[in-house]
């Protein structure tokens, strides 16, 4: 939703030759699919999306996402993931949802590796928020962002976009997160603080980063 008021400068699209297709990997997908909406806006800039793979651990939230966007939903408790049955990436098309942890290796088996991947990350915000104890990586939810940053070393997407509360930038553990992305091969190329009040009757500031 936050990208709905942005235009798409041509210099952002140097990777696009008009023919390549991309997959959106949406981690911590939530129920409202904000990054899915952002991908729809990018499609107006001639970015071609072949598929979307969303990952969400909460069953109820995942069902909301699935009801609105998904062609196929997989659960980490399915025998498919316990028995090691292979799935050819060519079979994965359209919108998919993996109901499970972003650290569960199962979702990687659904990745359509023949497409270039863009990863979107919106991890839990309380550990980074001024409205909480701001315990960052000292909280299990805060460590999720660090661990997902490390997982990117395996996924190696074309680009990574991260959304967090605006106080994330000043948090004492911010550098730890950035360093982990760097260890995975990704450098922070662009960042900004956006306030949702420009498109909605509410003040909701968010840090956005592009790796």
């Amino acid at each position: 939703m936050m990208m709905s008021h942005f235009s798409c400068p041509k210099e952002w699209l140097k990777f696009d030759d008009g023919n390549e297709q991309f997959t959106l990997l949406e981690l911590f997908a939530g129920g409202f699919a904000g990054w899915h909406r952002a991908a729809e806006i990018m499609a107006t800039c001639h970015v071609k999306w072949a598929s979307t793979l969303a990952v969400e651990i909460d069953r109820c939230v995942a069902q909301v996402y699935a009801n609105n966007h998904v062609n196929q939903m997989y659960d980490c408790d399915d025998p498919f993931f316990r028995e090691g049955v292979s799935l050819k990436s060519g079979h994965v098309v359209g919108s998919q949802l993996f109901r499970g942890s972003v650290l569960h290796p199962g979702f990687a088996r659904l990745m359509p590796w023949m497409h270039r991947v863009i990863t979107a990350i919106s991890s839990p915000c309380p550990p980074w928020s001024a409205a909480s104890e701001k315990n960052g990586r000292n909280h299990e939810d805060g460590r999720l962002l660090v661990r997902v940053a490390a997982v990117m070393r395996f996924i190696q997407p074309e680009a990574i976009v991260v959304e967090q509360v605006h106080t994330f930038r000043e948090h004492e553990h911010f550098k730890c997160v950035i360093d982990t992305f760097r260890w995975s091969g990704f450098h922070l190329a662009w960042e900004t603080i956006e306030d949702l009040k420009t498109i909605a009757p509410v003040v909701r500031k968010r840090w956005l980063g592009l790796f």
Side-chain angles (χ1 to χ4, degrees), residues 79-111:
F80 168 81
F81 295 103
R82 295 199 304 268
E83 297 171 4
V85 180
S86 63
L87 176 68
K88 294 181 179 179
S89 59
H91 294 166
V92 181
V93 294
S95 295
Q96 314 289 327
L97 186 142
F98 177 78
R99 204 295 303 170
S101 169
V102 294
L103 302 178
H104 192 293
F107 84 81
R109 297 171 59 194
L110 302 175
M111 289 288 295

PDB file of all heavy atoms in Angstrom, residues 79-111:
ATOM      1  N   PRO A  79       2.456 -33.758   4.646  1.00  0.00           N
ATOM      2  CA  PRO A  79       3.392 -34.870   4.427  1.00  0.00           C
ATOM      3  C   PRO A  79       4.409 -34.563   3.331  1.00  0.00           C
ATOM      4  O   PRO A  79       5.527 -35.057   3.362  1.00  0.00           O
ATOM      5  CB  PRO A  79       2.470 -36.026   4.018  1.00  0.00           C
ATOM      6  CG  PRO A  79       1.153 -35.686   4.646  1.00  0.00           C
ATOM      7  CD  PRO A  79       1.048 -34.187   4.584  1.00  0.00           C
ATOM      8  N   PHE A  80       4.016 -33.738   2.384  1.00  0.00           N
ATOM      9  CA  PHE A  80       4.909 -33.354   1.292  1.00  0.00           C
ATOM     10  C   PHE A  80       6.249 -32.869   1.815  1.00  0.00           C
ATOM     11  O   PHE A  80       7.306 -33.209   1.296  1.00  0.00           O
ATOM     12  CB  PHE A  80       4.238 -32.260   0.449  1.00  0.00           C
ATOM     13  CG  PHE A  80       5.149 -31.582  -0.518  1.00  0.00           C
ATOM     14  CD1 PHE A  80       5.457 -32.161  -1.738  1.00  0.00           C
ATOM     15  CD2 PHE A  80       5.717 -30.360  -0.210  1.00  0.00           C
ATOM     16  CE1 PHE A  80       6.311 -31.544  -2.630  1.00  0.00           C
ATOM     17  CE2 PHE A  80       6.574 -29.727  -1.097  1.00  0.00           C
ATOM     18  CZ  PHE A  80       6.861 -30.321  -2.308  1.00  0.00           C
ATOM     19  N   PHE A  81       6.235 -32.077   2.901  1.00  0.00           N
ATOM     20  CA  PHE A  81       7.461 -31.509   3.434  1.00  0.00           C
ATOM     21  C   PHE A  81       8.146 -32.444   4.422  1.00  0.00           C
ATOM     22  O   PHE A  81       9.341 -32.337   4.645  1.00  0.00           O
ATOM     23  CB  PHE A  81       7.170 -30.151   4.089  1.00  0.00           C
ATOM     24  CG  PHE A  81       6.696 -29.125   3.107  1.00  0.00           C
ATOM     25  CD1 PHE A  81       5.361 -28.783   3.032  1.00  0.00           C
ATOM     26  CD2 PHE A  81       7.584 -28.523   2.220  1.00  0.00           C
ATOM     27  CE1 PHE A  81       4.915 -27.844   2.119  1.00  0.00           C
ATOM     28  CE2 PHE A  81       7.153 -27.589   1.295  1.00  0.00           C
ATOM     29  CZ  PHE A  81       5.816 -27.247   1.248  1.00  0.00           C
ATOM     30  N   ARG A  82       7.393 -33.377   5.000  1.00  0.00           N
ATOM     31  CA  ARG A  82       7.998 -34.314   5.948  1.00  0.00           C
ATOM     32  C   ARG A  82       8.660 -35.488   5.237  1.00  0.00           C
ATOM     33  O   ARG A  82       9.649 -36.030   5.708  1.00  0.00           O
ATOM     34  CB  ARG A  82       6.927 -34.833   6.913  1.00  0.00           C
ATOM     35  CG  ARG A  82       6.336 -33.774   7.823  1.00  0.00           C
ATOM     36  CD  ARG A  82       5.669 -34.420   9.033  1.00  0.00           C
ATOM     37  NE  ARG A  82       4.652 -35.397   8.655  1.00  0.00           N
ATOM     38  CZ  ARG A  82       3.365 -35.115   8.500  1.00  0.00           C
ATOM     39  NH1 ARG A  82       2.945 -33.864   8.673  1.00  0.00           N
ATOM     40  NH2 ARG A  82       2.498 -36.041   8.165  1.00  0.00           N
ATOM     41  N   GLU A  83       8.114 -35.868   4.102  1.00  0.00           N
ATOM     42  CA  GLU A  83       8.598 -37.073   3.436  1.00  0.00           C
ATOM     43  C   GLU A  83       9.643 -36.807   2.362  1.00  0.00           C
ATOM     44  O   GLU A  83      10.151 -37.728   1.741  1.00  0.00           O
ATOM     45  CB  GLU A  83       7.405 -37.821   2.817  1.00  0.00           C
ATOM     46  CG  GLU A  83       6.401 -38.298   3.862  1.00  0.00           C
ATOM     47  CD  GLU A  83       5.127 -38.828   3.229  1.00  0.00           C
ATOM     48  OE1 GLU A  83       5.061 -38.883   1.977  1.00  0.00           O
ATOM     49  OE2 GLU A  83       4.195 -39.186   3.975  1.00  0.00           O
ATOM     50  N   GLY A  84       9.949 -35.540   2.129  1.00  0.00           N
ATOM     51  CA  GLY A  84      11.003 -35.209   1.189  1.00  0.00           C
ATOM     52  C   GLY A  84      10.649 -35.443  -0.264  1.00  0.00           C
ATOM     53  O   GLY A  84      11.521 -35.675  -1.103  1.00  0.00           O
ATOM     54  N   VAL A  85       9.363 -35.406  -0.600  1.00  0.00           N
ATOM     55  CA  VAL A  85       8.952 -35.554  -1.991  1.00  0.00           C
ATOM     56  C   VAL A  85       9.413 -34.338  -2.765  1.00  0.00           C
ATOM     57  O   VAL A  85       9.271 -33.207  -2.308  1.00  0.00           O
ATOM     58  CB  VAL A  85       7.414 -35.689  -2.089  1.00  0.00           C
ATOM     59  CG1 VAL A  85       6.983 -35.835  -3.546  1.00  0.00           C
ATOM     60  CG2 VAL A  85       6.952 -36.877  -1.273  1.00  0.00           C
ATOM     61  N   SER A  86       9.984 -34.540  -3.923  1.00  0.00           N
ATOM     62  CA  SER A  86      10.513 -33.424  -4.694  1.00  0.00           C
ATOM     63  C   SER A  86       9.405 -32.745  -5.475  1.00  0.00           C
ATOM     64  O   SER A  86       8.407 -33.355  -5.843  1.00  0.00           O
ATOM     65  CB  SER A  86      11.596 -33.906  -5.666  1.00  0.00           C
ATOM     66  OG  SER A  86      11.047 -34.808  -6.607  1.00  0.00           O
ATOM     67  N   LEU A  87       9.592 -31.454  -5.720  1.00  0.00           N
ATOM     68  CA  LEU A  87       8.675 -30.678  -6.534  1.00  0.00           C
ATOM     69  C   LEU A  87       9.499 -29.880  -7.520  1.00  0.00           C
ATOM     70  O   LEU A  87      10.330 -29.077  -7.126  1.00  0.00           O
ATOM     71  CB  LEU A  87       7.839 -29.719  -5.681  1.00  0.00           C
ATOM     72  CG  LEU A  87       6.893 -28.778  -6.449  1.00  0.00           C
ATOM     73  CD1 LEU A  87       5.769 -29.568  -7.098  1.00  0.00           C
ATOM     74  CD2 LEU A  87       6.337 -27.706  -5.525  1.00  0.00           C
ATOM     75  N   LYS A  88       9.309 -30.123  -8.790  1.00  0.00           N
ATOM     76  CA  LYS A  88      10.062 -29.396  -9.798  1.00  0.00           C
ATOM     77  C   LYS A  88       9.599 -27.946  -9.806  1.00  0.00           C
ATOM     78  O   LYS A  88       8.417 -27.661  -9.812  1.00  0.00           O
ATOM     79  CB  LYS A  88       9.850 -30.019 -11.176  1.00  0.00           C
ATOM     80  CG  LYS A  88      10.427 -31.427 -11.304  1.00  0.00           C
ATOM     81  CD  LYS A  88      10.201 -31.970 -12.705  1.00  0.00           C
ATOM     82  CE  LYS A  88      10.798 -33.371 -12.837  1.00  0.00           C
ATOM     83  NZ  LYS A  88      10.563 -33.935 -14.199  1.00  0.00           N
ATOM     84  N   SER A  89      10.583 -27.022  -9.826  1.00  0.00           N
ATOM     85  CA  SER A  89      10.245 -25.611  -9.764  1.00  0.00           C
ATOM     86  C   SER A  89       9.381 -25.181 -10.936  1.00  0.00           C
ATOM     87  O   SER A  89       8.612 -24.237 -10.835  1.00  0.00           O
ATOM     88  CB  SER A  89      11.525 -24.760  -9.728  1.00  0.00           C
ATOM     89  OG  SER A  89      12.322 -25.002 -10.878  1.00  0.00           O
ATOM     90  N   GLY A  90       9.458 -25.871 -12.044  1.00  0.00           N
ATOM     91  CA  GLY A  90       8.656 -25.523 -13.206  1.00  0.00           C
ATOM     92  C   GLY A  90       7.174 -25.712 -12.978  1.00  0.00           C
ATOM     93  O   GLY A  90       6.352 -25.199 -13.727  1.00  0.00           O
ATOM     94  N   HIS A  91       6.825 -26.459 -11.925  1.00  0.00           N
ATOM     95  CA  HIS A  91       5.416 -26.694 -11.621  1.00  0.00           C
ATOM     96  C   HIS A  91       4.810 -25.552 -10.801  1.00  0.00           C
ATOM     97  O   HIS A  91       3.606 -25.493 -10.624  1.00  0.00           O
ATOM     98  CB  HIS A  91       5.257 -27.997 -10.828  1.00  0.00           C
ATOM     99  CG  HIS A  91       5.627 -29.209 -11.619  1.00  0.00           C
ATOM    100  ND1 HIS A  91       5.827 -30.430 -11.027  1.00  0.00           N
ATOM    101  CD2 HIS A  91       5.852 -29.394 -12.946  1.00  0.00           C
ATOM    102  CE1 HIS A  91       6.154 -31.333 -11.962  1.00  0.00           C
ATOM    103  NE2 HIS A  91       6.174 -30.711 -13.122  1.00  0.00           N
ATOM    104  N   VAL A  92       5.656 -24.685 -10.275  1.00  0.00           N
ATOM    105  CA  VAL A  92       5.201 -23.614  -9.405  1.00  0.00           C
ATOM    106  C   VAL A  92       4.925 -22.376 -10.255  1.00  0.00           C
ATOM    107  O   VAL A  92       5.829 -21.732 -10.745  1.00  0.00           O
ATOM    108  CB  VAL A  92       6.249 -23.279  -8.327  1.00  0.00           C
ATOM    109  CG1 VAL A  92       5.724 -22.181  -7.419  1.00  0.00           C
ATOM    110  CG2 VAL A  92       6.580 -24.523  -7.514  1.00  0.00           C
ATOM    111  N   VAL A  93       3.654 -22.055 -10.437  1.00  0.00           N
ATOM    112  CA  VAL A  93       3.279 -20.888 -11.220  1.00  0.00           C
ATOM    113  C   VAL A  93       2.198 -20.128 -10.476  1.00  0.00           C
ATOM    114  O   VAL A  93       1.504 -20.669  -9.619  1.00  0.00           O
ATOM    115  CB  VAL A  93       2.759 -21.285 -12.619  1.00  0.00           C
ATOM    116  CG1 VAL A  93       3.869 -21.902 -13.443  1.00  0.00           C
ATOM    117  CG2 VAL A  93       1.580 -22.252 -12.507  1.00  0.00           C
ATOM    118  N   GLY A  94       2.040 -18.842 -10.817  1.00  0.00           N
ATOM    119  CA  GLY A  94       1.017 -18.042 -10.183  1.00  0.00           C
ATOM    120  C   GLY A  94       1.345 -17.721  -8.742  1.00  0.00           C
ATOM    121  O   GLY A  94       2.505 -17.635  -8.348  1.00  0.00           O
ATOM    122  N   SER A  95       0.325 -17.539  -7.910  1.00  0.00           N
ATOM    123  CA  SER A  95       0.496 -17.164  -6.504  1.00  0.00           C
ATOM    124  C   SER A  95       0.484 -18.402  -5.620  1.00  0.00           C
ATOM    125  O   SER A  95      -0.423 -19.225  -5.694  1.00  0.00           O
ATOM    126  CB  SER A  95      -0.621 -16.206  -6.072  1.00  0.00           C
ATOM    127  OG  SER A  95      -0.538 -14.991  -6.773  1.00  0.00           O
ATOM    128  N   GLN A  96       1.493 -18.512  -4.775  1.00  0.00           N
ATOM    129  CA  GLN A  96       1.615 -19.627  -3.845  1.00  0.00           C
ATOM    130  C   GLN A  96       1.792 -19.072  -2.439  1.00  0.00           C
ATOM    131  O   GLN A  96       2.340 -17.972  -2.266  1.00  0.00           O
ATOM    132  CB  GLN A  96       2.822 -20.510  -4.188  1.00  0.00           C
ATOM    133  CG  GLN A  96       2.970 -20.856  -5.665  1.00  0.00           C
ATOM    134  CD  GLN A  96       1.902 -21.826  -6.128  1.00  0.00           C
ATOM    135  OE1 GLN A  96       1.467 -22.684  -5.372  1.00  0.00           O
ATOM    136  NE2 GLN A  96       1.480 -21.681  -7.380  1.00  0.00           N
ATOM    137  N   LEU A  97       1.370 -19.835  -1.444  1.00  0.00           N
ATOM    138  CA  LEU A  97       1.598 -19.446  -0.061  1.00  0.00           C
ATOM    139  C   LEU A  97       2.105 -20.636   0.726  1.00  0.00           C
ATOM    140  O   LEU A  97       1.535 -21.727   0.643  1.00  0.00           O
ATOM    141  CB  LEU A  97       0.315 -18.905   0.580  1.00  0.00           C
ATOM    142  CG  LEU A  97       0.504 -18.343   1.999  1.00  0.00           C
ATOM    143  CD1 LEU A  97      -0.345 -17.102   2.214  1.00  0.00           C
ATOM    144  CD2 LEU A  97       0.169 -19.390   3.070  1.00  0.00           C
ATOM    145  N   PHE A  98       3.169 -20.402   1.479  1.00  0.00           N
ATOM    146  CA  PHE A  98       3.715 -21.423   2.373  1.00  0.00           C
ATOM    147  C   PHE A  98       3.346 -21.023   3.793  1.00  0.00           C
ATOM    148  O   PHE A  98       3.791 -19.990   4.289  1.00  0.00           O
ATOM    149  CB  PHE A  98       5.229 -21.519   2.223  1.00  0.00           C
ATOM    150  CG  PHE A  98       5.867 -22.510   3.161  1.00  0.00           C
ATOM    151  CD1 PHE A  98       5.813 -23.872   2.896  1.00  0.00           C
ATOM    152  CD2 PHE A  98       6.528 -22.073   4.296  1.00  0.00           C
ATOM    153  CE1 PHE A  98       6.398 -24.788   3.768  1.00  0.00           C
ATOM    154  CE2 PHE A  98       7.123 -22.982   5.169  1.00  0.00           C
ATOM    155  CZ  PHE A  98       7.051 -24.341   4.906  1.00  0.00           C
ATOM    156  N   ARG A  99       2.517 -21.847   4.452  1.00  0.00           N
ATOM    157  CA  ARG A  99       2.120 -21.577   5.825  1.00  0.00           C
ATOM    158  C   ARG A  99       3.152 -22.225   6.730  1.00  0.00           C
ATOM    159  O   ARG A  99       3.162 -23.422   6.971  1.00  0.00           O
ATOM    160  CB  ARG A  99       0.710 -22.149   6.076  1.00  0.00           C
ATOM    161  CG  ARG A  99      -0.072 -21.471   7.214  1.00  0.00           C
ATOM    162  CD  ARG A  99       0.551 -21.664   8.573  1.00  0.00           C
ATOM    163  NE  ARG A  99       0.720 -23.070   8.933  1.00  0.00           N
ATOM    164  CZ  ARG A  99       1.423 -23.507   9.987  1.00  0.00           C
ATOM    165  NH1 ARG A  99       2.050 -22.646  10.776  1.00  0.00           N
ATOM    166  NH2 ARG A  99       1.535 -24.809  10.216  1.00  0.00           N
ATOM    167  N   GLY A 100       4.055 -21.390   7.225  1.00  0.00           N
ATOM    168  CA  GLY A 100       5.123 -21.883   8.073  1.00  0.00           C
ATOM    169  C   GLY A 100       6.114 -20.777   8.362  1.00  0.00           C
ATOM    170  O   GLY A 100       5.946 -19.630   7.929  1.00  0.00           O
ATOM    171  N   SER A 101       7.145 -21.110   9.088  1.00  0.00           N
ATOM    172  CA  SER A 101       8.161 -20.131   9.469  1.00  0.00           C
ATOM    173  C   SER A 101       9.018 -19.730   8.271  1.00  0.00           C
ATOM    174  O   SER A 101       9.272 -20.530   7.372  1.00  0.00           O
ATOM    175  CB  SER A 101       9.059 -20.716  10.562  1.00  0.00           C
ATOM    176  OG  SER A 101      10.191 -19.895  10.778  1.00  0.00           O
ATOM    177  N   VAL A 102       9.484 -18.492   8.299  1.00  0.00           N
ATOM    178  CA  VAL A 102      10.412 -18.037   7.264  1.00  0.00           C
ATOM    179  C   VAL A 102      11.755 -18.757   7.376  1.00  0.00           C
ATOM    180  O   VAL A 102      12.585 -18.678   6.469  1.00  0.00           O
ATOM    181  CB  VAL A 102      10.641 -16.515   7.353  1.00  0.00           C
ATOM    182  CG1 VAL A 102       9.364 -15.754   7.041  1.00  0.00           C
ATOM    183  CG2 VAL A 102      11.172 -16.132   8.735  1.00  0.00           C
ATOM    184  N   LEU A 103      11.964 -19.458   8.492  1.00  0.00           N
ATOM    185  CA  LEU A 103      13.203 -20.214   8.676  1.00  0.00           C
ATOM    186  C   LEU A 103      13.028 -21.694   8.339  1.00  0.00           C
ATOM    187  O   LEU A 103      13.986 -22.454   8.387  1.00  0.00           O
ATOM    188  CB  LEU A 103      13.683 -20.080  10.129  1.00  0.00           C
ATOM    189  CG  LEU A 103      13.937 -18.642  10.608  1.00  0.00           C
ATOM    190  CD1 LEU A 103      14.354 -18.645  12.074  1.00  0.00           C
ATOM    191  CD2 LEU A 103      14.987 -17.960   9.751  1.00  0.00           C
ATOM    192  N   HIS A 104      11.814 -22.095   7.972  1.00  0.00           N
ATOM    193  CA  HIS A 104      11.554 -23.478   7.586  1.00  0.00           C
ATOM    194  C   HIS A 104      12.125 -23.707   6.184  1.00  0.00           C
ATOM    195  O   HIS A 104      11.824 -22.944   5.255  1.00  0.00           O
ATOM    196  CB  HIS A 104      10.056 -23.748   7.577  1.00  0.00           C
ATOM    197  CG  HIS A 104       9.684 -25.204   7.472  1.00  0.00           C
ATOM    198  ND1 HIS A 104       9.939 -25.961   6.346  1.00  0.00           N
ATOM    199  CD2 HIS A 104       9.078 -26.039   8.356  1.00  0.00           C
ATOM    200  CE1 HIS A 104       9.505 -27.192   6.530  1.00  0.00           C
ATOM    201  NE2 HIS A 104       8.982 -27.269   7.754  1.00  0.00           N
ATOM    202  N   PRO A 105      12.956 -24.727   6.003  1.00  0.00           N
ATOM    203  CA  PRO A 105      13.564 -24.958   4.688  1.00  0.00           C
ATOM    204  C   PRO A 105      12.559 -25.347   3.607  1.00  0.00           C
ATOM    205  O   PRO A 105      12.876 -25.295   2.416  1.00  0.00           O
ATOM    206  CB  PRO A 105      14.555 -26.089   4.948  1.00  0.00           C
ATOM    207  CG  PRO A 105      13.999 -26.814   6.148  1.00  0.00           C
ATOM    208  CD  PRO A 105      13.392 -25.740   6.998  1.00  0.00           C
ATOM    209  N   GLY A 106      11.344 -25.697   4.017  1.00  0.00           N
ATOM    210  CA  GLY A 106      10.360 -26.167   3.050  1.00  0.00           C
ATOM    211  C   GLY A 106       9.995 -25.148   1.985  1.00  0.00           C
ATOM    212  O   GLY A 106       9.766 -25.505   0.830  1.00  0.00           O
ATOM    213  N   PHE A 107       9.949 -23.860   2.358  1.00  0.00           N
ATOM    214  CA  PHE A 107       9.487 -22.884   1.367  1.00  0.00           C
ATOM    215  C   PHE A 107      10.442 -22.775   0.187  1.00  0.00           C
ATOM    216  O   PHE A 107      10.037 -22.447  -0.933  1.00  0.00           O
ATOM    217  CB  PHE A 107       9.233 -21.515   2.008  1.00  0.00           C
ATOM    218  CG  PHE A 107      10.446 -20.633   2.160  1.00  0.00           C
ATOM    219  CD1 PHE A 107      10.908 -19.887   1.085  1.00  0.00           C
ATOM    220  CD2 PHE A 107      11.100 -20.512   3.372  1.00  0.00           C
ATOM    221  CE1 PHE A 107      12.009 -19.046   1.218  1.00  0.00           C
ATOM    222  CE2 PHE A 107      12.199 -19.686   3.517  1.00  0.00           C
ATOM    223  CZ  PHE A 107      12.651 -18.948   2.437  1.00  0.00           C
ATOM    224  N   ALA A 108      11.733 -23.093   0.412  1.00  0.00           N
ATOM    225  CA  ALA A 108      12.704 -23.023  -0.676  1.00  0.00           C
ATOM    226  C   ALA A 108      12.400 -24.059  -1.757  1.00  0.00           C
ATOM    227  O   ALA A 108      12.767 -23.889  -2.918  1.00  0.00           O
ATOM    228  CB  ALA A 108      14.117 -23.227  -0.137  1.00  0.00           C
ATOM    229  N   ARG A 109      11.690 -25.125  -1.384  1.00  0.00           N
ATOM    230  CA  ARG A 109      11.334 -26.160  -2.359  1.00  0.00           C
ATOM    231  C   ARG A 109      10.220 -25.697  -3.288  1.00  0.00           C
ATOM    232  O   ARG A 109       9.945 -26.338  -4.304  1.00  0.00           O
ATOM    233  CB  ARG A 109      10.930 -27.439  -1.624  1.00  0.00           C
ATOM    234  CG  ARG A 109      12.089 -28.023  -0.805  1.00  0.00           C
ATOM    235  CD  ARG A 109      11.616 -29.150   0.083  1.00  0.00           C
ATOM    236  NE  ARG A 109      11.009 -30.217  -0.705  1.00  0.00           N
ATOM    237  CZ  ARG A 109      10.277 -31.195  -0.178  1.00  0.00           C
ATOM    238  NH1 ARG A 109      10.046 -31.193   1.126  1.00  0.00           N
ATOM    239  NH2 ARG A 109       9.779 -32.139  -0.920  1.00  0.00           N
ATOM    240  N   LEU A 110       9.584 -24.589  -2.931  1.00  0.00           N
ATOM    241  CA  LEU A 110       8.538 -24.033  -3.783  1.00  0.00           C
ATOM    242  C   LEU A 110       9.050 -22.896  -4.669  1.00  0.00           C
ATOM    243  O   LEU A 110       8.306 -22.351  -5.469  1.00  0.00           O
ATOM    244  CB  LEU A 110       7.390 -23.502  -2.917  1.00  0.00           C
ATOM    245  CG  LEU A 110       6.729 -24.506  -1.986  1.00  0.00           C
ATOM    246  CD1 LEU A 110       5.690 -23.802  -1.116  1.00  0.00           C
ATOM    247  CD2 LEU A 110       6.080 -25.638  -2.780  1.00  0.00           C
ATOM    248  N   MET A 111      10.320 -22.557  -4.507  1.00  0.00           N
ATOM    249  CA  MET A 111      10.866 -21.438  -5.259  1.00  0.00           C
ATOM    250  C   MET A 111      10.985 -21.774  -6.740  1.00  0.00           C
ATOM    251  O   MET A 111      11.556 -22.803  -7.113  1.00  0.00           O
ATOM    252  CB  MET A 111      12.255 -21.079  -4.723  1.00  0.00           C
ATOM    253  CG  MET A 111      12.238 -20.433  -3.357  1.00  0.00           C
ATOM    254  SD  MET A 111      11.622 -18.740  -3.389  1.00  0.00           S
ATOM    255  CE  MET A 111      12.871 -17.959  -4.360  1.00  0.00           C
TER     256      MET A 111
END
